[in-house]
Amino acid sequence: MGFELTAHFWSGLAQIILVNIILSGDNALVIALACRNLDKRHQKPAILIGSAGAIILRIIFVLIVDQLLKIGYLKLIGGLLLLWIGVKLVQGEEEHGDGVKGAGSLWGAIRTIIIADAVMSLDNAIAIAAAAHGDVTLIVLGLLISIPLIIFGATLIMLLLNRFPIIVIAGGGLLGYIAGEVLATDPAYMEWLAARIPNHKMWFEIGGAVITVALGYWLQRRAKAKRHAEPVDLAAEGRKE
């Protein structure tokens, strides 16, 4: 079989699964936020495909984490991307009636899930790789077993989102917080920031959360104002005719 089912193996597998469950709360939240506006018939496929894609990415990241950490400014790019995703999720992309695009929205949700997970998985990959001690079989098995747990978490959060919309704001803030942590810990400039800004990581995290929620909420309000203004303009044109 290529590996031995020893007590060490089972212990390592349990550690991988536990670490991934602990670290996947934010990933489940992203999946739920990205899928919340889809038609019900598209929600399950988006969750399944997005979760599977996220796990595959995480496996790849764990296997090459040492090389990834050496790339300067990778976290800067990823942090800014995650910040943008957080803003878009807070803003929402609500469409009504016949304006809902099924297939486009489905793949848009999947794309959001995979991109966000790719950014957040770098730090997660470090913890998983450490728990696996370089055992590729443990890494793959542990992450594959975690898929249904992430899917269940995303489904549960999505149910809560429908009942408590404020969770969307909180979720966006969490993504902004994580983005701030990613931005603050890029090896290309982390030491430079630490020498000049006391507790710089904390300030980046708080700033990321505030910026994400504030900008997303502002864009949401502006979009709603535009939608409310459109019927007035149409009525005015009708009277002119």
Side-chain angles (χ1 to χ4, degrees):
M1 291 178 66
F3 62 91
E4 296 182 4
L5 299 177
T6 61
H8 176 73
F9 173 85
W10 292 114
S11 174
L13 181 61
Q15 287 182 46
I16 293 291
I17 295 173
L18 182 60
V19 166
N20 199 46
I21 292 172
I22 294 171
L23 296 176
S24 292
D26 48 7
N27 303 92
L29 179 62
V30 167
I31 293 169
L33 288 171
C35 297
R36 76 186 190 278
N37 290 326
L38 294 179
D39 290 339
K40 288 188 176 181
R41 68 181 186 275
H42 291 140
Q43 287 179 349
K44 285 187 178 179
I47 291 174
L48 289 171
I49 298 171
S51 299
I55 289 293
I56 291 170
L57 272 178
R58 193 167 298 185
I59 291 172
I60 295 171
F61 278 15
V62 171
L63 297 177
I64 61 173
V65 66
D66 290 336
Q67 286 73 29
L68 286 174
L69 290 175
K70 295 175 183 176
I71 302 175
Y73 300 106
L74 178 63
K75 281 194 167 186
L76 172 64
I77 297 170
L80 292 174
L81 185 59
L82 188 57
L83 201 66
W84 176 79
I85 289 173
V87 169
K88 296 299 289 183
L89 290 175
V90 172
Q91 177 189 1
E93 296 178 356
E94 297 179 2
E95 297 180 32
H96 303 280
D98 297 331
V100 177
K101 297 181 180 179
S105 297
L106 171 64
W107 291 108
I110 292 170
R111 185 176 63 248
T112 298
I113 291 166
I114 293 176
I115 292 173
D117 192 83
V119 175
M120 296 187 295
S121 286
L122 186 54
D123 289 340
N124 295 9
I126 299 171
I128 293 168
H133 300 290
D135 191 324
V136 176
T137 303
L138 278 178
I139 292 169
V140 175
L141 280 178
L143 291 176
L144 289 177
I145 291 171
S146 302
I147 290 178
L149 299 173
I150 295 175
I151 292 172
F152 173 77
T155 304
L156 178 61
I157 292 172
M158 196 155 55
L159 291 174
L160 292 174
L161 286 175
N162 293 330
R163 299 189 66 178
F164 308 103
I166 190 66
I167 297 176
V168 175
I169 304 297
L174 176 60
L175 290 182
Y177 183 90
I178 296 170
E181 187 271 338
V182 172
L183 289 169
T185 55
D186 192 299
Y189 53 76
M190 183 173 65
E191 292 184 4
W192 184 87
L193 282 175
R196 288 162 176 78
I197 306 175
N199 301 315
H200 79 285
K201 184 169 169 286
M202 179 190 70
W203 291 114
F204 270 70
E205 291 167 343
I206 295 173
V210 171
I211 290 171
T212 300
V213 172
L215 184 56
Y217 186 71
W218 178 75
L219 290 171
Q220 182 189 83
R221 298 281 293 183
R222 190 180 69 167
K224 285 182 178 179
K226 284 184 177 180
R227 284 200 298 269
H228 290 321
E230 284 176 1
V232 176
D233 295 337
L234 291 173
E237 289 179 5
R239 286 195 295 272
K240 287 179 182 178
E241 293 175 358

